[in-house]
């Protein structure tokens, strides 16, 4: 009488699971608004170096006036003969600028004048968000294992809200760095911990569909609405206060969500695990005999005794580097984690200077999260994990390469719609690659080290994400550079996928020894969809020959 069988009796897709999915949806909205908040607060509006003789002119007139200068945003004018004839006596650092604020929105870059020679300050501050992500993933992972999933979810969510709230009151770079670091502590953990909690209480057949649909719908909704919230409140400070307030609802979670019963079993807290399952049964209006729970507890007590006998030969994550094939798989998964995390983040943030409003472009291109989630649901079991991971990176790389080329050769104002479509398609490719990688890596890593392996691979990806702000900053020198960079790394990632084994429809490795021989005789070009077609053709040919006979 293991956990899955008892949960089935208590209800594994009833009212309690619906409540969990709705809370998970709310977590998704908070997660999306939190993760991309620093993008929305740092959009840089069109700007030109200030001159008192231009103070009463329209932005259109100022733009025309500066049009023939090499660096109009940062050119210091010594004198102006009239409003159409500038005399540039020297080029130096501006101390004041004209800002063409979109619908009056005040960003951190326009308020603190983080433009021109000071533009690096925004990139530096935002990079510490990812440093916080690494620390938070490790810290809250330890807390979740020691004190439980629900307390860790509450602490990580509150830390993210606190970091955003603190950011709303900063006035210089050191304070911005500290606030973004604290905000980054919860970057990934409060979403992933809630994901795990929902996953454990949900019927296996409903997990892929339910979790992907909830994520695609609510995460997408948060992304599409957040730019308009920012414009509605009118300033980056008010926006951060707005998005940090909803995290307080996490304090209500313990009233409706029970602790992970699986975690309680690992802590040998059998009475509390039974109490949680009884709570699930009560919400789902199921009646379960007390003997079921007695048998359930006895099963796990016996299992613990058996595990203690085998503990001496326990596998470790470092053991994945001790054998050649498994070492190769692990290194590839680490590199791919870096590639996919960077590509996903840069593709989602690189919205400025493309001829249209960065707020509108960010909002409307976020709709691609829904088809991205549906693509995984519809095709991952058809073309296989390897095919999904490889094709999404390859197509995404081609799309972003084309986007970079178009940015270089086209007038961005004239072809703003075309560029917006290409940006959305590039985000779509990155989203599918990100979602596909999550399941693919989980299945390749042997069960005995899966939890630690996935966590470590995830941390390495986020550790390198502090470079993302600097890659986007390269666009200040040559606008296509960010797109060309992520195109290159995505194509490299697609090639690396070919060196990994297919996992769909196979018995997954349980131990490191099984992981070493997993997919041993498989060709690098093996894909389940092609294999099924080849097998069906062979069967059809055999049937035809028998008919002739």
């Amino acid at each position: 009488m293991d956990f899955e069988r008892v949960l089935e009796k208590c209800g594994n897709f009833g009212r309690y699971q619906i409540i969990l999915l709705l809370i998970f949806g709310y977590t998704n909205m908070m997660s999306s608004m939190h993760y991309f908040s620093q993008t929305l607060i740092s959009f840089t509006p069109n700007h030109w170096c200030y001159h008192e003789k231009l103070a009463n002119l329209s932005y259109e007139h100022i733009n025309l006036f500066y049009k023939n200068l090499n660096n109009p945003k940062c050119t210091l004018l010594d004198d102006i003969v009239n409003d159409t004839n500038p005399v540039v006596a020297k080029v130096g650092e501006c101390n004041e600028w004209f800002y063409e604020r979109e619908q009056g929105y005040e960003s951190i870059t326009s308020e603190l004048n983080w433009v021109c020679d000071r533009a690096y300050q925004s990139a530096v501050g935002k990079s510490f968000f990812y440093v916080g992500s690494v620390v938070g993933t490790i810290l809250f992972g330890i807390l979740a294992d020691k004190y439980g999933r629900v307390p860790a979810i509450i602490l990580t969510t509150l830390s993210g809200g606190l970091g955003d709230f603190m950011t709303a009151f900063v006035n210089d770079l050191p304070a911005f760095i500290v606030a973004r670091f604290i905000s980054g502590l919860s970057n990934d953990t409060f979403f992933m911990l809630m994901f795990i909690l929902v996953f454990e209480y949900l019927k296996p057949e409903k997990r892929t569909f339910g979790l992907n649909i909830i994520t695609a719908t609510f995460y997408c909704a948060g992304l599409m609405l957040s730019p308009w919230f920012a414009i509605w409140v009118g300033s980056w400070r008010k926006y951060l206060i707005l998005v940090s307030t909803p995290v307080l609802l996490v304090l209500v979670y313990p009233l409706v969500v029970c602790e992970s019963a699986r975690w309680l079993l690992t802590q040998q807290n059998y009475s509390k695990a039974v109490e949680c399952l009884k709570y699930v049964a009560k919400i789902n209006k199921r009646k379960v005999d007390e003997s079921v729970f007695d048998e359930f507890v006895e099963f796990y007590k016996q299992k613990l005794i058996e595990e203690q006998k085998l503990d001496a030969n326990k596998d470790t994550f470092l053991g994945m580097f001790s054998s050649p094939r498994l070492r190769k798989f692990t290194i590839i998964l680490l590199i791919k984690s870096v590639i996919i995390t960077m590509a996903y983040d840069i593709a989602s943030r690189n919205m400025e200077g493309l001829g249209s409003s960065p707020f509108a472009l960010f909002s409307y291109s976020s709709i691609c999260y829904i088809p991205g989630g549906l693509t995984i649901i519809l095709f991952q079991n058809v073309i296989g994990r390897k095919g999904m991971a490889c094709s999404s990176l390859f197509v995404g790389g081609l799309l972003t390469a084309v986007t970079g080329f178009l940015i270089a050769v086209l007038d961005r104002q004239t072809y703003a719609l075309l560029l917006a479509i290409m940006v959305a398609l590039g985000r779509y490719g990155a989203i599918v690659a990100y979602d596909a990688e999550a399941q693919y890596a989980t299945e390749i890593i042997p069960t005995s080290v899966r939890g630690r392996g996935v966590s470590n691979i995830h941390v390495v990806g986020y550790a390198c994400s502090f470079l993302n702000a600097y890659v986007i900053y390269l666009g200040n020198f040559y606008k296509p550079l960010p797109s060309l960079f992520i195109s290159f790394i995505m194509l490299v990632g697609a090639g690396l996928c070919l060196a990994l084994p297919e996992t769909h429809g196979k018995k997954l490795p349980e131990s490191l020894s099984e992981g070493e021989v997993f997919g041993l005789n498989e060709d690098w070009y093996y894909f389940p969809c092609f294999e099924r077609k080849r097998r069906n053709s062979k069967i059809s040919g055999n049937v035809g020959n028998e008919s002739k006979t």
Side-chain angles (χ1 to χ4, degrees), residues 344-389:
Y344 168 80
D345 190 71
I346 295 170
S348 300
R349 297 183 189 276
N350 188 31
M351 299 286 154
E352 297 182 64
L354 298 176
S356 55
S357 162
F359 292 93
L361 181 56
F362 182 87
S363 176
Y364 297 141
S365 63
S366 296
I367 192 69
C368 62
Y369 275 80
I370 293 178
L374 291 174
T375 299
I376 294 292
I377 293 171
L378 295 175
F379 295 107
Q380 185 155 256
N381 289 339
V382 176
I383 65 176
R385 312 293 191 255
K386 179 177 177 178
M388 194 80 255

Side-chain angles (χ1 to χ4, degrees), residues 14 44 59 61 77 154 187 243 267 312 318 387 406 408 410 459 468:
T44 304
Y59 291 123
H61 199 162
L77 301 180
I154 294 172
N187 176 33
V243 299
Q267 303 300 302
L318 291 178
L406 294 177
L410 297 180
V459 166
N468 295 350

Side-chain angles (χ1 to χ4, degrees), residues 32 70 124 242 279 295 426 494:
S32 63
N70 290 331
V124 171
L242 177 69
Y279 175 75
E295 188 178 344

Side-chain angles (χ1 to χ4, degrees), residues 238-343:
K238 292 179 182 178
Y239 175 71
L240 286 174
I241 293 173
L242 177 69
V243 299
S244 62
T245 304
V247 304
L248 295 175
L249 281 179
V250 76
L251 296 173
V252 182
Y253 283 12
L255 301 178
V256 290
V257 176
C258 58
E259 184 54 83
S260 164
R262 286 184 183 273
W263 174 79
L264 291 167
L265 291 171
T266 65
Q267 303 300 302
Q268 302 172 44
N269 193 343
Y270 304 115
S271 60
K272 187 65 177 177
V274 168
E275 184 181 325
C276 286
L277 287 168
K278 286 182 177 179
Y279 175 75
V280 173
K282 179 182 177 181
I283 298 297
N284 288 336
K285 296 186 176 181
R286 295 285 190 94
K287 290 185 178 181
V288 183
D289 292 338
E290 196 66 33
S291 59
V292 171
F293 297 113
D294 293 337
E295 188 178 344
F296 168 71
V297 171
E298 186 61 31
F299 172 81
Y300 279 96
K301 284 182 177 179
Q302 290 298 321
K303 186 177 181 181
L304 176 65
I305 295 172
E306 294 173 5
E307 288 176 350
Q308 288 174 341
K309 292 178 181 177
L310 299 172
D311 194 54
N313 299 319
K314 192 174 182 181
D315 291 336
T316 64
F317 175 72
L318 291 178
M320 294 183 68
F321 293 92
S322 61
S323 54
R325 294 187 75 250
L326 203 52
R327 179 168 58 245
K328 179 182 75 171
F329 297 161
T330 306
I331 292 172
I332 290 174
L333 290 175
L334 289 168
I335 296 172
K336 281 187 63 197
S337 177
V338 173
I339 289 172
I340 291 172
T341 305
M342 291 187 71

